[in-house]
Amino acid sequence: MTATDPALTALAQSWCALSLLHGRIEAHIERALQARHELSVREYSLLDVLSRQHDGEGGHLQMKQVADAVVLSQSATTRLVTRLEDRGLLERYLCPTDRRGIYTNVTEAGLALLEQARPTNDAALREALDAAALKPELAPLVKAVESLHAPA
């Protein structure tokens, strides 16, 4: 294969389209969350991921797992946790069975904000996907995204 190989060019164009779709969706959701709830997409994602933890076996996530879930480095995730902790939306505590482990939970204020923000996030996502579906180069990607969780 060479750099001008049509298969590589098509693959690169597809990757660019996927990147474009992601960027448009994220920017649209970011504007909506910031305007209505003073939350970034990353902050919303972190609150959402952490709100799904439970007290059962394996129910609490380690920082690496959280970082992977919100698609950030561990250091960026730690900084984000600190910012939300400073706002009273998260709290950290020592793992009761392993004093080396530190867990992060969403506070009542964080849960309330998340519940207020969830409809905004969902509506902004739908709006962004609907707008992208009107672009011929993005429509197949929108269809693929929508089919990922479609009922069988």
Side-chain angles (χ1 to χ4, degrees), residues 23-98:
R24 285 184 179 190
I25 291 171
E26 187 170 61
H28 189 76
I29 295 172
E30 180 83 24
R31 286 189 300 273
L33 287 172
Q34 283 289 346
R36 294 183 188 104
H37 308 285
E38 297 180 3
L39 274 178
S40 71
V41 168
R42 298 287 189 221
E43 291 168 338
Y44 174 87
S45 295
L46 180 63
L47 289 172
D48 185 51
V49 165
L50 292 175
S51 74
R52 297 173 193 279
Q53 297 182 117
H54 57 83
D55 289 331
E57 178 87 22
H60 282 275
L61 301 173
Q62 297 172 344
M63 196 56 69
K64 172 148 181 31
Q65 294 169 302
V66 174
D68 289 346
V70 296
V71 194
L72 289 173
S73 67
Q74 278 188 259
S75 61
T77 302
T78 299
R79 288 190 301 274
L80 185 58
V81 165
T82 299
R83 279 200 316 269
L84 293 179
E85 186 177 34
D86 290 347
R87 288 175 58 188
L89 303 175
L90 297 177
E91 60 189 1
R92 292 184 233 203
Y93 65 95
L94 290 175
C95 171
T97 58
D98 179 358

